[in-house]
Amino acid sequence: MFQKLDARFPVRYTFMGLCALGGLLSLFSLVAFGVGWIALLLCMALVGLGIRDVRQTKSSILRNYPVIGHMRFLLEFIRPEMRQYFIESDSEAAPFSRSQRSLVYQRAKGELDNRPFGTQLDVRDHGYEWINHSVQPTHIASHDFRITIGPDTAQPYSASIFNISAMSFGALSANAILALNSGAKKGGFAHDTGEGSISQYHRVHGGDLIWEVGSGYFGCRNDDGSFSPERFASSAADPQVKLIELKLSQGAKPGHGGILPAAKVTPEIAAARGVPVGQDCVSPSSHSAFSTPVEMMHFIARLRELSGGKPTGFKFCIGHPWEWFAMVKAMLVTGITPDFIVVDGAEGGTGAAPLEFTDHVGAPVQEGLLLVHNTLLGAGLRERVSVGCAGKVISAFDITRMMALGADWCNSGRAFMFALGCIQAQTCHTGNCPTGVTTQDPARQRALVVPDKAERVWRFHQSTLKALRELLEASGLEHTDDVTAHHIVRRINDTEVRLLSNLVMHVKEGSLLTDLDSQHQVFRLYWPLASAYSFAVIKPDNKVSSTGETQPAAV
């Protein structure tokens, strides 16, 4: 009987039928008693919606489940929030755990960040790590840990070892940029502009800037999109700009260009990027100013010269090892070295990207950082190049671990977004950010009060470095320079732990040039395939010198 009824009037149409019945009852009530206008209008609106659902052709769900099918899309819309608030555990990272976010919130607000009743982590888990402590802790006078980048340049920069990673105006709101830069000014640390160049909002508070120059050459481009030396020199002369960073790729989407649609190219964004208002803003996937590693080194030297001798380097996410080795060989051939290199891990995520790029393109920061550090060491160049890194750096232990792998300093993007009030709603690319961090909507931006959030940015930076000082003191160390892989321990299985130094590669200084056969397989396999004169793999019938000069096999 039920099947016969369902054949004549499908049960999935029941809700729409009840709406129609409610409309009839409301109409009767209105005629008989003079009440029921609201109920009648509501029921008729739902019936109209149901008829539209049945007739439309885009959604199969709505055609089969008129009216009630909209509940599915509503629940799907709020699913991330429901999962975040009620389902996920404190230690479940997706991409950041509640415990990690809470740590940033507490430090940013100046609240107590101590935890009672022991760790929530499972210390028996494979991959669990800790830092060994000392029975003779040290006393470190200041938590303001600094390194000098470009000591041999005309304008060396004394940088904090914890800075704001690259996030452009346009990706972030004006108020977010204002708050970040104000916090950076107060704390004496650096604020990376992202490839969207220097906006008017970066200049208001005067915080130190790392000017990131991407493949679109925003802020220093000609009308055809090529690099403009004159415009670069003019902007780079600003004393607020401390470092020049050539962006080759980013962890969120390495090897992928981008387009800012014309509708989003507002007068403010156009002014910062040097592009026409209301036209698509294209960021190519590769640079037009150079095409070989040697040309790249000469371009870096040119940027350094045009900026008046400011430290100049590049940022990238490790991809093909031979391309990175080609860059190092170009350094050896030309004698030109960048003052710094920032290694962005595939964990990076402030930039929206296709899922395949987010999940499966680029090397994680550990592998990328180890390869860069060891290659520079093996080529005898490590003392000339400072190395920074970025990729899910939240806590003082995260910073310590990056130092143990070879970093001189760390950058963080999402941690400082949390300090601004980001709740990980993951709507950054929609313009509907609930906290005003990643939207250009003026109404939504007003939710982010700049003076308050600037204080939070500053407090998070200060609290994290104070925690780092305590961690180093407990380990018997004096400075972040003293941290090595010998200080970090990792659990391998239920019954075995090992020092990180026994698990990661180590290269002796200069050994790549004198003893390649004894090196790690990645060097033995890819170093001979790299040439200073091309990013492509060289042909097997050519011989390559240790410095990267390609010669015929017969020579």
Side-chain angles (χ1 to χ4, degrees), residues 207-515:
D208 291 350
L209 293 179
I210 303 171
W211 183 14
E212 183 177 272
V213 178
S215 56
Y217 306 116
F218 300 128
C220 56
R221 58 187 267 143
N222 296 310
D223 293 340
D224 62 357
S226 61
F227 175 72
S228 169
E230 296 78 18
R231 292 177 180 175
F232 173 81
S234 176
S235 294
D238 189 333
Q240 194 178 344
V241 175
K242 303 299 183 182
L243 301 176
I244 307 297
E245 179 181 85
L246 182 68
K247 175 195 166 184
L248 302 184
S249 60
Q250 66 184 88
K253 48 182 177 180
H256 189 282
I259 296 179
L260 188 66
K264 293 187 177 181
V265 184
T266 64
E268 291 176 323
I269 291 176
R273 300 194 177 201
V275 298
V277 178
Q279 294 185 21
D280 289 343
C281 180
V282 179
S283 181
S285 57
S286 62
H287 281 264
S288 61
F290 57 87
S291 59
T292 69
V294 165
E295 289 177 0
M296 175 182 161
M297 294 307 134
H298 285 296
F299 186 63
I300 287 173
R302 189 182 185 196
L303 294 180
R304 186 188 292 129
E305 181 182 359
L306 289 170
S307 67
K310 293 183 177 180
T312 304
F314 65 89
K315 179 184 87 170
F316 74 142
C317 178
I318 284 285
H320 295 308
W322 63 81
E323 294 181 344
W324 157 238
F325 294 160
M327 297 177 206
V328 176
K329 288 185 175 183
M331 297 177 202
L332 295 170
V333 166
T334 63
I336 299 170
T337 55
D339 297 300
F340 66 91
I341 297 173
V342 175
V343 182
D344 208 9
E347 303 94 324
T350 58
L355 183 64
E356 293 85 356
F357 281 78
T358 296
D359 290 347
H360 301 293
V361 180
V365 66
Q366 172 175 296
E367 285 67 32
L369 178 57
L370 279 170
L371 187 62
V372 168
H373 170 69
N374 279 291
T375 307
L376 291 173
L377 198 61
L381 299 172
R382 185 63 180 87
E383 292 299 318
R384 296 169 59 180
V385 183
S386 298
V387 177
C389 71
K392 296 191 79 169
V393 176
I394 290 286
S395 69
F397 181 76
D398 295 334
I399 296 175
T400 304
R401 193 179 183 283
M402 293 299 104
M403 303 297 182
L405 294 174
D408 295 312
W409 86 90
C410 295
N411 295 334
S412 183
R414 286 169 290 183
F416 282 100
M417 288 174 66
F418 291 143
L420 288 173
C422 168
I423 61 172
Q424 195 172 273
Q426 300 186 63
T427 58
C428 311
H429 59 299
T430 67
N432 297 321
C433 174
T435 57
V437 177
T438 62
T439 179
Q440 298 304 309
D441 183 338
R444 288 179 177 271
Q445 283 192 54
R446 282 198 292 269
L448 198 159
V449 180
V450 173
D452 174 66
K453 297 305 185 288
E455 285 291 310
R456 290 178 55 156
V457 168
W458 169 74
R459 277 196 295 263
F460 169 64
H461 180 267
Q462 293 293 299
S463 298
T464 302
L465 290 189
K466 288 178 181 177
L468 177 61
R469 179 183 64 185
E470 293 176 348
L471 204 58
L472 296 178
E473 288 175 337
S475 301
L477 305 175
E478 298 284 352
H479 194 274
T480 54
D481 293 342
D482 300 329
V483 180
T484 69
H486 295 283
H487 294 100
I488 308 295
V489 188
R490 179 186 292 180
R491 178 170 294 284
I492 302 302
N493 54 48
D494 290 342
T495 59
E496 185 179 6
V497 300
R498 290 187 188 177
L499 292 176
L500 195 59
S501 58
N502 295 326
L503 297 173
V504 299
M505 76 168 85
H506 291 281
V507 174
K508 293 182 179 179
E509 186 169 0
S511 60
L512 280 182
L513 308 181
T514 59
D515 188 18

